[in-house]
Amino acid sequence: MTSVSIVTPSREIETIARLKPCSKNSNCVSSNYLEPPNRYVSPLKILNDRDVAFQRAVRDLQKNGSDGAAPSVAVLEIDAKKYYIHLAVPGTSLGSLDDLELVFPPDAGIVNVRCEARVTLPPPPFCVKKNCINGNMDQRRRVEALGVRVLGLPPADQRQMMDAKWTPIFFNSDKVPDMVDYYDN
C-alpha cells in the first residue's frame, strides 16, 4: 500500500491509501486501471455508504470463521483512517498464502482490490471457462469469493458482464471493427 496526501476543500489534509501495482513476474490481480488485462479485475461495488461498507467488512472479517463464513481468512492489518484492510488467504500452492488488500476510496462507490500470491507459479497455457482471462485465475476467484460470499459486495462491472460476448482467444475469428471497413473496400 502507498499513500497520497491531498488537501480537502476545508483545508484539511487527508491521506488516501492506494494499492501498489502488481509485480511484473507474480501471480497478481488488481483493480488498478493501469494493470494489463490479464492482471485487471473489476473493483467491488459498494451498495451503500463507504463508512457503513468499511465497518461491515471489518466486522465480517473479524468474525473470521466463527460462523463458518470465512474460516481461512486471516486479518493482518486494518487501518480505519485510510480505509485499508490487508488479509492473508490460502494460496494455490499447498501451504502457501496470498495477500489480499482492500481500499475503500472516498466518493467512488467502489472497493479497490489487489491479490498477490506469495509463491509464484507458472500460469496455465490457456483457459476455456467463460469470462476467463489467461493467467491469475486463482487470484481472481479469491477476490470474487471474498467480495460476494464474505462481504456481500458484487463486482462493479457485474451487470455489463452478464451480456458480454466471450470468445477464447485461440478460437477467436471476430474481426476488429475498424479493420472490417478497411479490408472490405
Side-chain angles (χ1 to χ4, degrees):
M1 174 188 64
T2 61
S3 297
V4 175
S5 295
I6 62 168
V7 178
T8 65
S10 63
R11 301 299 225 189
E12 296 176 17
I13 295 177
E14 182 177 343
T15 302
I16 300 173
R18 299 200 187 259
L19 299 174
K20 295 184 302 184
C22 288
S23 304
K24 186 177 179 181
N25 295 319
S26 68
N27 299 118
C28 179
V29 295
S30 173
S31 60
N32 179 345
Y33 69 93
L34 296 174
E35 296 292 347
N38 66 328
R39 292 187 184 276
Y40 180 79
V41 66
S42 178
L44 303 174
K45 182 178 181 180
I46 293 176
L47 303 174
N48 46 33
D49 177 82
R50 171 190 180 203
D51 293 320
V52 172
F54 183 77
Q55 291 167 3
R56 284 183 181 166
V58 169
R59 179 197 67 205
D60 293 347
L61 291 167
Q62 285 180 333
K63 283 183 187 176
N64 197 17
S66 62
D67 60 358
S72 54
V73 175
V75 178
L76 301 179
E77 178 183 358
I78 295 173
D79 188 335
K81 288 184 180 179
K82 295 180 182 176
Y83 290 83
Y84 171 79
I85 302 172
H86 181 189
L87 310 167
V89 296
T92 305
S93 181
L94 187 63
S96 70
L97 295 173
D98 285 6
D99 289 298
L100 204 152
E101 298 173 282
L102 306 168
V103 173
F104 296 67
D107 304 322
I110 60 170
V111 179
N112 284 317
V113 295
R114 180 177 183 271
C115 183
E116 183 169 19
R118 293 182 185 177
V119 175
T120 299
L121 300 173
F126 59 86
C127 57
V128 292
K129 180 183 170 197
K130 184 177 181 182
N131 299 328
C132 173
I133 296 177
N134 193 22
N136 309 316
M137 282 308 295
D138 291 330
Q139 285 72 33
R140 289 176 191 285
R141 281 191 287 273
R142 285 177 190 78
V143 168
E144 182 179 307
L146 180 81
V148 175
R149 293 186 201 134
V150 179
L151 303 177
L153 301 174
D157 66 355
Q158 182 178 31
R159 201 160 85 197
Q160 292 88 341
M161 293 303 289
M162 295 286 229
D163 298 324
K165 180 181 177 190
W166 181 81
T167 305
I169 291 174
F170 54 89
F171 293 132
N172 192 351
S173 62
D174 296 341
K175 293 183 179 180
V176 177
D178 294 333
M179 298 305 286
V180 172
D181 295 336
Y182 178 76
Y183 286 118
D184 288 343
N185 289 333

